[in-house]
Amino acid sequence: MSKTSKKEAAAARKARVEELRRVEKARERRRRVITITLSTVIVAGLVGWGGYALDSANEKSEQQAAEAKKPVRGEKTWEAKELTRNHVQGTVKYAMSPPVGGDHSQAWMTCEGTVYTEAIPNENAVHSLEHGAVWVTYNDKAADADIETLGDKVSRTPYSLMSPVTDQSGAITLSAWGRQLTVDKASDPRIDQFFTKYVQGPQTPEPGAACSGGLMAS
């Protein structure tokens, strides 16, 4: 091969290498642009979703706060001075069934979303109310489906408990310290309102006191 041919071949190889480098640089620029674009879209999406989730959470909190301020239609109330809070032994005669407060046992019923299928002592349940629990009770007037629905709700709600009370007048009763509501069906919207308002609500004599570690049914 002549010197001229060798120079031409070398120039061609050099040109080819430069072309490959140019193509690779262009490809790298495209990858960078795509990566940046996708990252921007993802970040924007996350920010948007985060903002939406935050707005939804704030809206839910505001709705719950507003609901908690509303009076519960048909509820009965007792003044704090009517409900003594002494720890006593033995049976207490309460003025209402189920009781919503008064002297009670030193031991509370465990009320961490606890569903009892048998009757529990009033004196221990009242102590749970003192700690801010909502007590759901029912008798044989309540439909089986409603009992199951209420049991599911209670089991998902810390600071609540449920048990049968045969001598109550209404089919379903919700009790908190100094507050009580009677309904016929588990679908009654006032049940959710009662829970929102009174689970660890402002009526609680001992807010933050434990619902775990109490007495369990035998």
Side-chain angles (χ1 to χ4, degrees):
M1 179 181 295
S2 65
K3 290 183 179 180
T4 300
S5 298
K6 289 180 179 181
K7 287 181 180 180
E8 290 175 350
R13 285 195 298 272
K14 183 178 180 181
R16 177 60 179 163
V17 169
E18 290 176 352
E19 175 65 14
L20 290 173
R21 287 175 177 171
R22 185 188 67 77
V23 170
E24 182 60 29
K25 287 180 179 180
R27 186 181 293 116
E28 182 62 29
R29 282 197 299 272
R30 285 197 299 272
R31 281 199 294 263
R32 191 178 300 116
V33 169
I34 291 172
T35 299
I36 292 172
T37 302
L38 287 175
S39 298
T40 302
V41 170
I42 291 171
V43 170
L46 290 174
V47 170
W49 171 252
Y52 170 77
L54 183 59
D55 289 342
S56 297
N58 289 338
E59 183 178 353
K60 184 176 181 181
S61 296
E62 290 172 0
Q63 289 175 345
Q64 289 179 337
E67 199 69 18
K69 292 179 181 178
K70 296 178 183 178
V72 179
R73 178 176 52 85
E75 76 173 1
K76 297 178 180 179
T77 61
W78 288 260
E79 295 295 331
K81 62 183 179 181
E82 300 179 53
L83 304 173
T84 54
R85 295 172 51 202
N86 301 307
H87 287 176
V88 297
Q89 295 182 348
T91 302
V92 177
K93 185 176 181 180
Y94 294 103
M96 73 295 291
S97 180
V100 297
D103 292 349
H104 50 270
S105 171
Q106 187 171 359
W108 60 90
M109 293 301 299
T110 297
C111 43
E112 283 294 293
T114 315
V115 177
Y116 299 98
T117 57
E118 302 291 337
I120 58 177
N122 286 334
E123 295 76 16
N124 304 104
V126 169
H127 196 156
S128 301
L129 301 187
E130 187 181 39
H131 289 191
V134 164
W135 182 19
V136 179
T137 56
Y138 60 92
N139 60 19
D140 56 7
K141 297 177 185 177
D144 290 343
D146 287 337
I147 295 172
E148 182 178 355
T149 296
L150 290 168
D152 289 342
K153 182 175 181 62
V154 167
S155 65
R156 297 192 304 269
T157 309
Y159 283 92
S160 72
L161 68 163
M162 178 173 169
S163 70
V165 173
T166 57
D167 64 348
Q168 67 181 35
S169 58
I172 299 166
T173 302
L174 288 81
S175 302
W177 186 272
R179 305 289 187 271
Q180 192 166 82
L181 174 70
T182 297
V183 299
D184 296 323
K185 299 288 185 181
S187 57
D188 193 310
R190 292 175 295 170
I191 292 176
D192 286 341
Q193 185 184 4
F194 196 93
F195 269 74
T196 298
K197 192 176 182 71
Y198 295 127
V199 170
Q200 280 285 285
Q203 85 293 340
T204 304
E206 296 182 3
C211 244
S212 60
L215 184 69
M216 295 292 293
S218 57

